Amino acid sequence: MNHNRWVYTPKEINVKRGVAYGLTDLMGGGWNNIVSGVIFAYLTLSVGLNPAMAGAITGIARIFDAIFSLTFGTITDGFYKTRLGQKYGRRHFWMFVGLIGFAISFLAFWVPATAIFGPGHDFVYYLVVYTLTEIFVGMILIPWETLPTEMTTDYTKRTILSGSRMFISATGTSLVFFILAILQSLPSAQAKKNAYLFAGILWTVLFVVAIYTSYRMTWERPLTKEFIAELDARPKLTFGQYLKETLHDYGQTFRNSAFRKHLTIYIFSFTGKDFYATLLPTFIVVCMGMASNTPWVLNAFAVFGILSTLLAAKLMITHGPRFLYSVSYIGIIVAMIGYGVTYFLHIHNPFVILVIITIIYQLSRGILEFTPWNVFPFIPDVDHIMTRGDKAGTYAAVMTFFRKSTGALATWLAGILLEEFGYVSTASKQAAGITDRVAWLFVIAPIVLVAIALVVSWTFRLNRQTHEVLQSEINRLQNGGSKKDVTPEAKQVAEELTGHPYNELWPNQTYEESHIDKKKK
């Protein structure tokens, strides 16, 4: 085995390498916003697909991606046994394959299908190319997210590696919309016609350079004999066994009351955001009758989300997640009402008003995206007092799986509803009453979904104070303390967070211990 390659050579971890690692999230953040905010508009307003078919493309592809994501992590885990994995790295090999595939498929997506196959093949072409792109993105991101663990065991150094992701991701979001807004604003009619193609070329170059930088400036844990022995000692499961065990573990997470509430808040708020991003271009161009570049100019104000994220980091400590949820969701509801009032009052020259409303929305969105994943690290501790297990990866996988699935369904459902309402993407003018229906959908869907998340968040009890009580109780029990000696406060907190009576928590034996005992008998 060749352990002398750069992929197995540890280097000093500093801010520069932290940024280099985080650059892949330039594509991560940018891609997510292209999916939710650009692709539907491109397929309907530019390609001319009907909204139900456009929604089906992103919906079907993301469901395939969600299933692919369930299994691909395990593939990379065991890839060290192959010659390619030993030579090029079990994570880096797949990052490079994904990078090549992404560069080709992502660029091909912005090339008109008619230019390659002629008319009549749009749906199949875009479905296949987009599905491949989703899979290649997963092929990059899944192994990339494991690299901090591969590169160092030091907590502070891992924080340096992952800390830059948040801001680089937000930068990717802003760049995506800035690029498209500039191209849509060019005076040339031909340039406007090809704006999506030119944007696709620029995005591809930007993302490929960023990912390749991360690929070359990161490394993996050397495959020493000791490390290989450690890997080989892990339980070996067939695909069927792995899938069965995974689904069982997924189901067990829903016994955790704090997680059920957390997931509900997360899914409903993010799905509301998906409806907003999907429908904003249609609302602005078709309902408001504004220029084709206006949605992307407004979306470029996503940069304000960086500012609110910085503020949220402080408020998370001083006020807790429930306060942040309220500020974020109420801000989004106010913004959506503002969009509706602007449309239905037929305000003349509303651009400045729309900018103000959009800034309110983007400030709130920044907090919406920040809070759930900053609450998440506390969730496995609630499970720990329930099971004495370590299931952080399982909880993260459940959140990711449901996020991808509901995100896919949101765009698909938006497309179906638009078609049911009578919206025709190729029409220069919609039939009477259609724009009102589209506007109502754009306003009401995010309000309803975010309002559900808001109400559930008011019952969410996990915060810094309750977590400290819970963690103290876990430490006491781990140090041999008796469950009989629990304080009334610790008992109440543990029961509220887990949703189970205290006498059912902290089982006397782990599954492995009881399994060993049964074997002895």
Side-chain angles (χ1 to χ4, degrees):
M1 288 180 288
N2 185 357
H3 291 166
N4 296 320
R5 290 180 53 81
W6 57 267
V7 75
Y8 292 115
T9 305
K11 304 169 186 69
E12 180 187 359
I13 295 176
N14 49 30
V15 174
K16 177 182 176 182
R17 294 198 183 276
V19 170
Y21 164 77
L23 276 176
T24 291
D25 226 15
L26 196 71
M27 181 273 287
W31 170 247
N32 284 330
N33 284 277
I34 289 171
V35 170
S36 60
V38 178
I39 286 178
F40 186 82
Y42 168 63
L43 293 174
T44 54
L45 299 177
S46 181
V47 175
L49 287 179
N50 72 57
M53 293 178 71
I57 287 172
T58 55
I60 293 170
R62 292 222 110 181
I63 289 171
F64 270 107
D65 176 51
I67 296 170
F68 170 79
S69 297
L70 281 176
T71 59
F72 188 65
T74 302
I75 292 173
T76 68
D77 284 345
F79 199 63
Y80 70 94
K81 298 176 182 177
T82 68
R83 289 185 179 181
L84 289 173
Q86 293 164 6
K87 186 174 182 181
Y88 298 105
R90 56 181 178 150
R91 316 295 188 187
H92 283 75
F93 173 83
W94 291 111
M95 281 184 69
F96 189 74
V97 172
L99 174 60
I100 299 300
F102 172 78
I104 296 170
S105 63
F106 184 59
L107 187 59
F109 184 80
W110 307 105
V111 177
T114 52
I116 302 175
F117 299 106
H121 299 87
D122 289 0
F123 178 79
V124 174
Y125 174 79
Y126 288 111
L127 175 61
V128 171
V129 174
Y130 178 70
T131 302
L132 287 173
T133 305
E134 281 281 13
I135 290 173
F136 288 131
V137 168
M139 205 174 282
I140 295 166
L141 292 181
I142 291 171
W144 170 74
E145 288 173 344
T146 69
L147 292 182
T149 303
E150 293 274 356
M151 293 165 70
T152 180
T153 58
D154 185 86
Y155 177 85
T156 303
K157 291 180 179 179
R158 285 183 181 175
T159 303
I160 291 173
L161 289 170
S162 58
S164 62
R165 287 184 57 180
M166 182 188 307
F167 302 104
I168 292 175
S169 178
T171 303
T173 298
S174 300
L175 279 174
V176 161
F177 295 128
F178 271 125
I179 289 171
L180 190 52
I182 291 170
L183 291 172
Q184 289 273 14
S185 302
L186 294 175
S188 167
Q190 187 65 24
K192 285 185 177 180
K193 181 181 178 182
N194 294 315
Y196 286 105
L197 174 59
F198 293 155
I201 294 171
L202 290 174
W203 291 334
T204 302
V205 172
L206 181 67
F207 294 159
V208 166
V209 170
I211 297 165
Y212 186 74
T213 302
S214 287
Y215 168 78
R216 282 309 305 260
M217 294 195 66
T218 52
W219 57 92
E220 299 180 23
R221 183 174 168 182
L223 291 173
T224 61
K225 291 182 179 179
E226 293 77 14
F227 185 39
I228 291 176
E230 178 186 326
L231 292 172
D232 289 341
R234 295 176 182 177
K236 297 174 179 61
L237 303 175
T238 66
F239 177 77
Q241 291 171 327
Y242 167 76
L243 189 60
K244 181 179 179 181
E245 186 175 296
T246 298
L247 292 175
H248 175 267
D249 288 345
Y250 275 23
Q252 290 296 100
T253 62
F254 290 94
R255 296 182 62 249
N256 184 333
S257 176
F259 180 67
R260 290 198 303 270
K261 293 180 180 180
H262 175 69
L263 186 65
T264 301
I265 294 166
Y266 176 62
I267 292 304
F268 276 92
S269 61
F270 272 66
T271 305
K273 179 175 73 81
D274 289 336
F275 266 99
Y276 169 90
T278 298
L279 295 171
L280 178 69
T282 306
F283 172 76
I284 294 296
V285 175
V286 176
C287 299
M288 300 295 296
M290 303 183 76
S292 60
N293 69 323
T294 306
W296 317 121
V297 172
L298 294 175
N299 272 324
F301 285 98
V303 68
F304 279 87
I306 300 175
L307 300 177
S308 60
T309 297
L310 293 172
L311 178 61
K314 181 177 181 180
L315 292 175
M316 184 73 175
I317 298 172
T318 59
H319 289 71
R322 193 159 58 177
F323 175 80
L324 287 178
Y325 286 138
S326 294
V327 170
S328 171
Y329 300 158
I330 291 171
I332 288 174
I333 291 171
V334 168
M336 298 314 301
I337 292 172
Y339 284 120
V341 169
T342 304
Y343 170 76
F344 287 107
L345 292 183
H346 305 289
I347 294 175
H348 185 62
N349 292 329
F351 181 75
V352 174
I353 295 174
L354 289 174
V355 167
I356 294 171
I357 295 170
T358 301
I359 289 174
I360 294 172
Y361 174 85
Q362 294 295 350
L363 287 169
S364 304
R365 178 200 57 79
I367 301 174
L368 178 150
E369 294 179 353
F370 169 87
T371 309
W373 283 105
N374 279 269
V375 171
F376 171 75
F378 304 121
I379 296 290
D381 289 332
V382 180
D383 180 88
H384 188 56
I385 200 170
M386 293 170 57
T387 66
R388 294 172 68 180
D390 180 10
K391 300 179 182 176
T394 301
Y395 279 90
V398 172
M399 285 184 66
T400 301
F401 176 79
F402 276 92
R403 167 66 188 132
K404 288 185 174 182
S405 301
T406 57
L409 293 173
T411 305
W412 200 342
L413 182 59
I416 291 171
L417 290 173
L418 284 178
E419 186 163 5
E420 288 296 317
F421 290 168
Y423 169 70
V424 180
S425 59
T426 55
S428 57
K429 186 176 181 180
Q430 301 296 321
I434 300 301
T435 55
D436 286 355
R437 297 173 193 170
V438 174
W440 277 118
L441 177 62
F442 170 69
V443 172
I444 295 299
I447 287 178
V448 170
L449 292 165
V450 170
I452 293 171
L454 176 62
V455 172
V456 176
S457 74
W458 290 337
T459 69
F460 192 68
R461 287 270 292 135
L462 182 57
N463 53 42
R464 187 179 66 168
Q465 290 75 28
T466 56
H467 178 260
E468 286 177 354
V469 173
L470 180 73
Q471 191 60 56
S472 294
E473 178 63 8
I474 290 173
N475 291 339
R476 186 183 72 82
L477 294 170
Q478 284 178 331
N479 291 327
S482 171
K483 290 170 66 174
K484 295 179 181 179
D485 298 329
V486 61
T487 65
E489 182 187 25
K491 181 175 182 292
Q492 180 183 354
V493 167
E495 290 182 341
E496 285 182 344
L497 294 181
T498 63
H500 296 277
Y502 182 82
N503 61 1
E504 295 180 5
L505 306 179
W506 200 255
N508 291 329
Q509 292 178 315
T510 63
Y511 172 81
E512 290 79 10
E513 289 169 343
S514 64
H515 189 62
I516 290 171
D517 288 343
K518 287 178 183 177
K519 280 187 174 181
K520 288 179 179 178
K521 292 178 182 178

